[in-house]
Amino acid sequence: MKFLQRHMVEGEWKYSAILPPLLFGLLALLLRLYHLDEKSIWMDEAFTSYHSTFSAYQLWTQPVTTKPPLFYLITSLFWSPGDSAFALRLPVAILGAISVTVSWYLGRALAGNRAAFLLALFVLLSDVNLFYSQEARHYMLLSVGWLLLLLSLVQLVKSSGNQDKPRRSDLVLMVAGVMLMAHSHPVAVHYLAASGIAYFSALLIMPGCNRRFFYQPVIVVLLAGMSVLPWLPVGFESASTNFNWLKQPDAGKALFEYMMLFGSSSLAFLAGKKLAFGAGVLLVAVSVAGILSLRAKERESKARSPR
């Protein structure tokens, strides 16, 4: 009888943890494939089509592009010269669907099944996600990597209260997320920094948290990030050729400002760099406050629940 009950519970867990996210992912894929080739290929997508014609050896050893080569290698598996815009954008449509599936697991890890459905539905219908899931650029690859990283960090924080070391599965998930991010776009460093701030802030309020949860993820992130180092010299050489401002005085400062304002260029144009930078800092602070609040509520609910 106990075996049957356990089997039913395991079967219910498998059903609730596999079927819903797969259905969300399938629905997301159908939605992103709809009118995928309606718009003509624009300039940045033309660069993607051009860079995808190079071999892996050329992308890693020659100053071909200012972006890491992984996205171009993935695109080359679906597209070749002469193919349609549909084939060129198909990889990002698939990545967009994967992002919806991972969002379901992230919501479940954060606050259970209800949060999983709400977060997956939000990403499924997100205008930004839909837009970049139909544009042959790196951003959906970056998004999938970041979602995997966030999922691993949430699971690490939740397990830090009752385990003496991080689970290997969470660290493997972190490696996958960081490597996808590092090999998709240079701006990934900002997402990594913001995620790290939120993660360590959450750990600091955990009573008796083992120090392994502090240093092991850092080591994992550094090792995974180092995988892109062989490409960096040719990437910087290509950047110095394509962006003449890098050769001007105070180029380092200009590069720093450009990277810090990435994603808030419209706000910077309308209200100035200082306000845009401040808005970015505020968003990070709000994210940290939200995580701390979530952890505090979990501790209160555990304290109130009967033992």
PDB file of all heavy atoms in Angstrom, residues 169-185:
ATOM      1  N   SER A 169      23.724  18.855  -9.212  1.00  0.00           N
ATOM      2  CA  SER A 169      22.800  19.168 -10.311  1.00  0.00           C
ATOM      3  C   SER A 169      22.603  20.678 -10.456  1.00  0.00           C
ATOM      4  O   SER A 169      22.505  21.198 -11.576  1.00  0.00           O
ATOM      5  CB  SER A 169      21.454  18.486 -10.075  1.00  0.00           C
ATOM      6  OG  SER A 169      20.888  18.912  -8.839  1.00  0.00           O
ATOM      7  N   ASP A 170      22.554  21.401  -9.320  1.00  0.00           N
ATOM      8  CA  ASP A 170      22.399  22.859  -9.380  1.00  0.00           C
ATOM      9  C   ASP A 170      23.640  23.515  -9.961  1.00  0.00           C
ATOM     10  O   ASP A 170      23.542  24.487 -10.728  1.00  0.00           O
ATOM     11  CB  ASP A 170      22.119  23.416  -7.985  1.00  0.00           C
ATOM     12  CG  ASP A 170      20.775  22.957  -7.439  1.00  0.00           C
ATOM     13  OD1 ASP A 170      19.897  22.635  -8.257  1.00  0.00           O
ATOM     14  OD2 ASP A 170      20.624  22.919  -6.201  1.00  0.00           O
ATOM     15  N   LEU A 171      24.814  22.998  -9.621  1.00  0.00           N
ATOM     16  CA  LEU A 171      26.051  23.561 -10.152  1.00  0.00           C
ATOM     17  C   LEU A 171      26.177  23.285 -11.656  1.00  0.00           C
ATOM     18  O   LEU A 171      26.662  24.134 -12.407  1.00  0.00           O
ATOM     19  CB  LEU A 171      27.256  22.984  -9.408  1.00  0.00           C
ATOM     20  CG  LEU A 171      27.359  23.361  -7.920  1.00  0.00           C
ATOM     21  CD1 LEU A 171      28.570  22.678  -7.281  1.00  0.00           C
ATOM     22  CD2 LEU A 171      27.448  24.877  -7.748  1.00  0.00           C
ATOM     23  N   VAL A 172      25.742  22.089 -12.080  1.00  0.00           N
ATOM     24  CA  VAL A 172      25.764  21.771 -13.512  1.00  0.00           C
ATOM     25  C   VAL A 172      24.827  22.697 -14.276  1.00  0.00           C
ATOM     26  O   VAL A 172      25.155  23.194 -15.366  1.00  0.00           O
ATOM     27  CB  VAL A 172      25.385  20.299 -13.744  1.00  0.00           C
ATOM     28  CG1 VAL A 172      25.168  20.023 -15.229  1.00  0.00           C
ATOM     29  CG2 VAL A 172      26.455  19.380 -13.190  1.00  0.00           C
ATOM     30  N   LEU A 173      23.647  22.961 -13.700  1.00  0.00           N
ATOM     31  CA  LEU A 173      22.699  23.885 -14.316  1.00  0.00           C
ATOM     32  C   LEU A 173      23.297  25.290 -14.396  1.00  0.00           C
ATOM     33  O   LEU A 173      23.114  26.003 -15.393  1.00  0.00           O
ATOM     34  CB  LEU A 173      21.411  23.908 -13.504  1.00  0.00           C
ATOM     35  CG  LEU A 173      20.203  24.603 -14.117  1.00  0.00           C
ATOM     36  CD1 LEU A 173      19.764  23.896 -15.393  1.00  0.00           C
ATOM     37  CD2 LEU A 173      19.054  24.650 -13.120  1.00  0.00           C
ATOM     38  N   MET A 174      24.030  25.675 -13.366  1.00  0.00           N
ATOM     39  CA  MET A 174      24.694  26.980 -13.366  1.00  0.00           C
ATOM     40  C   MET A 174      25.753  27.062 -14.458  1.00  0.00           C
ATOM     41  O   MET A 174      25.859  28.079 -15.154  1.00  0.00           O
ATOM     42  CB  MET A 174      25.336  27.234 -12.006  1.00  0.00           C
ATOM     43  CG  MET A 174      26.062  28.565 -11.897  1.00  0.00           C
ATOM     44  SD  MET A 174      26.848  28.792 -10.293  1.00  0.00           S
ATOM     45  CE  MET A 174      25.398  28.964  -9.272  1.00  0.00           C
ATOM     46  N   VAL A 175      26.520  26.007 -14.629  1.00  0.00           N
ATOM     47  CA  VAL A 175      27.539  25.973 -15.688  1.00  0.00           C
ATOM     48  C   VAL A 175      26.895  26.165 -17.055  1.00  0.00           C
ATOM     49  O   VAL A 175      27.375  26.950 -17.882  1.00  0.00           O
ATOM     50  CB  VAL A 175      28.320  24.645 -15.642  1.00  0.00           C
ATOM     51  CG1 VAL A 175      29.167  24.476 -16.897  1.00  0.00           C
ATOM     52  CG2 VAL A 175      29.221  24.600 -14.414  1.00  0.00           C
ATOM     53  N   ALA A 176      25.790  25.450 -17.295  1.00  0.00           N
ATOM     54  CA  ALA A 176      25.095  25.571 -18.584  1.00  0.00           C
ATOM     55  C   ALA A 176      24.626  26.998 -18.817  1.00  0.00           C
ATOM     56  O   ALA A 176      24.799  27.560 -19.908  1.00  0.00           O
ATOM     57  CB  ALA A 176      23.916  24.600 -18.637  1.00  0.00           C
ATOM     58  N   GLY A 177      24.032  27.603 -17.783  1.00  0.00           N
ATOM     59  CA  GLY A 177      23.529  28.964 -17.926  1.00  0.00           C
ATOM     60  C   GLY A 177      24.643  29.974 -18.171  1.00  0.00           C
ATOM     61  O   GLY A 177      24.544  30.816 -19.071  1.00  0.00           O
ATOM     62  N   VAL A 178      25.710  29.882 -17.387  1.00  0.00           N
ATOM     63  CA  VAL A 178      26.814  30.846 -17.519  1.00  0.00           C
ATOM     64  C   VAL A 178      27.501  30.704 -18.868  1.00  0.00           C
ATOM     65  O   VAL A 178      27.854  31.705 -19.510  1.00  0.00           O
ATOM     66  CB  VAL A 178      27.820  30.659 -16.370  1.00  0.00           C
ATOM     67  CG1 VAL A 178      29.063  31.524 -16.587  1.00  0.00           C
ATOM     68  CG2 VAL A 178      27.177  31.018 -15.039  1.00  0.00           C
ATOM     69  N   MET A 179      27.694  29.480 -19.323  1.00  0.00           N
ATOM     70  CA  MET A 179      28.369  29.288 -20.607  1.00  0.00           C
ATOM     71  C   MET A 179      27.527  29.819 -21.760  1.00  0.00           C
ATOM     72  O   MET A 179      28.059  30.437 -22.693  1.00  0.00           O
ATOM     73  CB  MET A 179      28.696  27.807 -20.812  1.00  0.00           C
ATOM     74  CG  MET A 179      29.771  27.289 -19.880  1.00  0.00           C
ATOM     75  SD  MET A 179      30.419  25.672 -20.346  1.00  0.00           S
ATOM     76  CE  MET A 179      31.290  26.069 -21.860  1.00  0.00           C
ATOM     77  N   LEU A 180      26.207  29.602 -21.718  1.00  0.00           N
ATOM     78  CA  LEU A 180      25.353  30.161 -22.759  1.00  0.00           C
ATOM     79  C   LEU A 180      25.414  31.683 -22.748  1.00  0.00           C
ATOM     80  O   LEU A 180      25.461  32.327 -23.802  1.00  0.00           O
ATOM     81  CB  LEU A 180      23.914  29.696 -22.575  1.00  0.00           C
ATOM     82  CG  LEU A 180      23.601  28.238 -22.923  1.00  0.00           C
ATOM     83  CD1 LEU A 180      22.135  27.924 -22.670  1.00  0.00           C
ATOM     84  CD2 LEU A 180      23.955  27.932 -24.382  1.00  0.00           C
ATOM     85  N   MET A 181      25.424  32.273 -21.564  1.00  0.00           N
ATOM     86  CA  MET A 181      25.480  33.723 -21.451  1.00  0.00           C
ATOM     87  C   MET A 181      26.808  34.261 -21.960  1.00  0.00           C
ATOM     88  O   MET A 181      26.858  35.204 -22.762  1.00  0.00           O
ATOM     89  CB  MET A 181      25.265  34.144 -19.997  1.00  0.00           C
ATOM     90  CG  MET A 181      23.882  33.849 -19.461  1.00  0.00           C
ATOM     91  SD  MET A 181      23.739  34.181 -17.687  1.00  0.00           S
ATOM     92  CE  MET A 181      23.895  35.974 -17.680  1.00  0.00           C
ATOM     93  N   ALA A 182      27.902  33.673 -21.485  1.00  0.00           N
ATOM     94  CA  ALA A 182      29.232  34.169 -21.844  1.00  0.00           C
ATOM     95  C   ALA A 182      29.506  34.033 -23.334  1.00  0.00           C
ATOM     96  O   ALA A 182      30.249  34.839 -23.912  1.00  0.00           O
ATOM     97  CB  ALA A 182      30.301  33.418 -21.046  1.00  0.00           C
ATOM     98  N   HIS A 183      28.901  33.022 -23.961  1.00  0.00           N
ATOM     99  CA  HIS A 183      29.150  32.779 -25.380  1.00  0.00           C
ATOM    100  C   HIS A 183      28.065  33.375 -26.278  1.00  0.00           C
ATOM    101  O   HIS A 183      28.031  33.063 -27.480  1.00  0.00           O
ATOM    102  CB  HIS A 183      29.271  31.284 -25.644  1.00  0.00           C
ATOM    103  CG  HIS A 183      30.521  30.673 -25.105  1.00  0.00           C
ATOM    104  ND1 HIS A 183      31.673  30.559 -25.849  1.00  0.00           N
ATOM    105  CD2 HIS A 183      30.812  30.176 -23.888  1.00  0.00           C
ATOM    106  CE1 HIS A 183      32.611  29.987 -25.123  1.00  0.00           C
ATOM    107  NE2 HIS A 183      32.120  29.747 -23.924  1.00  0.00           N
ATOM    108  N   SER A 184      27.192  34.210 -25.715  1.00  0.00           N
ATOM    109  CA  SER A 184      26.140  34.823 -26.530  1.00  0.00           C
ATOM    110  C   SER A 184      26.379  36.303 -26.760  1.00  0.00           C
ATOM    111  O   SER A 184      26.242  36.792 -27.892  1.00  0.00           O
ATOM    112  CB  SER A 184      24.770  34.615 -25.874  1.00  0.00           C
ATOM    113  OG  SER A 184      24.725  35.229 -24.603  1.00  0.00           O
ATOM    114  N   HIS A 185      26.747  37.049 -25.698  1.00  0.00           N
ATOM    115  CA  HIS A 185      26.876  38.502 -25.839  1.00  0.00           C
ATOM    116  C   HIS A 185      27.741  39.044 -24.702  1.00  0.00           C
ATOM    117  O   HIS A 185      27.619  38.583 -23.557  1.00  0.00           O
ATOM    118  CB  HIS A 185      25.495  39.157 -25.811  1.00  0.00           C
ATOM    119  CG  HIS A 185      25.453  40.529 -26.408  1.00  0.00           C
ATOM    120  ND1 HIS A 185      26.004  41.630 -25.783  1.00  0.00           N
ATOM    121  CD2 HIS A 185      24.938  40.987 -27.576  1.00  0.00           C
ATOM    122  CE1 HIS A 185      25.831  42.696 -26.536  1.00  0.00           C
ATOM    123  NE2 HIS A 185      25.186  42.331 -27.641  1.00  0.00           N
TER     124      HIS A 185
END
